[in-house]
């Protein structure tokens, strides 16, 4: 069975936000879909280990900010590869309160959806939350980022807690050595470089500046290993 066939399913990329008391948290998710049109409902699938899952369970509400195609990897990494248990994910992030008091992420967002949970389904490691829309707004025009674009063009990675995570087999051969981030799994390919970080294609890992960091999670060069 080839699980990569699942990658032919279409996905977007979103920041899912919620609250617990006066605390906010958010995470990256790709499993947001419209469930019905009347009443308008959406669903999202969250890993039970994630703090956002705990917040949605407590507040019975969540928001989904639809990310634009030009969202930098560092922003995705901020919400996708760091835990809200260790850091305030909304510090320095432009946001505003929604109808339910949830934080609505405005940075790099084309639109947002806000929902009150009406149903939830336990699916083992994850929970499917279904919610009726209480707020929705277009913030700016642009092209939404698809999960395929994130992987193929941005060369982003997927956390192991994500429902769409598939373990990759490492390539055995390479003209220039590739290096993998031990924190988030980002693969530095010298042939591609790091355009967002000002690193030209063809730059070997050894020639990267000492202060260069992983474009997704911010890990230093010393946290990379040869793939």
């Amino acid at each position: 069975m080839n699980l990569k066939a699942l990658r032919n399913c279409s996905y977007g990329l979103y920041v899912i936000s919620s609250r617990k008391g006066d605390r906010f948290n958010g995470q990256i998710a790709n499993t947001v879909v419209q469930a019905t049109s009347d009443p308008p409902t959406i669903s999202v699938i969250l890993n039970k280990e994630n703090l956002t899952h705990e917040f949605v369970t407590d507040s019975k509400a969540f928001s989904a900010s639809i990310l634009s195609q030009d969202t930098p990897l560092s922003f995705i990494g901020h919400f996708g590869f760091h835990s809200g248990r260790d850091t305030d994910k909304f510090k320095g992030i432009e946001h505003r309160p929604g109808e339910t008091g949830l934080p609505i992420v405005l940075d790099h967002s084309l639109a947002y959806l806000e929902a009150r949970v009406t149903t939830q389904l336990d699916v083992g490691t994850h929970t499917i939350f279904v919610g009726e829309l209480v707020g929705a707004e277009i913030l700016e025009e642009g092209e939404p980022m698809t999960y395929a674009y994130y992987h193929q063009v941005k060369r982003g990675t997927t956390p192991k807690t994500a429902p769409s995570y598939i373990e990759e087999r490492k390539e055995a051969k390479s003209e220039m050595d590739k290096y993998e981030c031990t924190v988030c799994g980002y693969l530095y390919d010298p042939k591609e470089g790091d355009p967002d970080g000002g690193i030209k294609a063809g730059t070997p890992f050894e020639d990267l500046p000492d202060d260069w960091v992983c474009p997704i999670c911010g890990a230093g060069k010393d946290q990379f290993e040869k793939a």
Side-chain angles (χ1 to χ4, degrees), residues 34-46:
Q34 180 177 346
T36 62
S37 58
D38 187 18
T41 60
I42 59 173
S43 67
V44 65
I45 305 174
L46 301 178

Side-chain angles (χ1 to χ4, degrees), residues 155-157 170-171 178-181 184-190 192-193 212 214 216 224-227:
R155 296 184 295 114
T157 57
K170 303 298 186 293
E171 297 180 8
K178 299 178 182 179
Y179 282 76
E180 182 180 24
C181 177
C184 73
Y186 170 80
L187 194 67
Y188 177 79
D189 185 348
E192 301 288 342
W212 179 84
C214 174
I216 294 182
F224 278 71
E225 293 180 349
K226 188 183 294 186

Side-chain angles (χ1 to χ4, degrees), residues 1-9 11 30 147 151 156-170 180 185:
M1 181 168 61
N2 188 353
L3 294 179
K4 289 185 178 180
L6 291 168
R7 290 184 177 171
N8 287 302
C9 296
Y11 300 96
N30 67 319
Y147 205 49
H151 276 285
T157 57
T158 304
K160 290 184 178 181
T161 56
S164 54
Y165 173 78
I166 298 174
E167 185 175 2
E168 295 281 1
R169 292 182 179 180
K170 303 298 186 293
E180 182 180 24

Side-chain angles (χ1 to χ4, degrees), residues 14 17 30 40 50 58 72 74 77 97 104 107 113 117 168 186 197 200:
Y14 315 88
S17 304
N30 67 319
N50 292 352
D58 182 82
S74 58
I104 305 296
D107 288 335
L113 308 170
V117 174
E168 295 281 1
Y186 170 80
K200 295 181 180 180

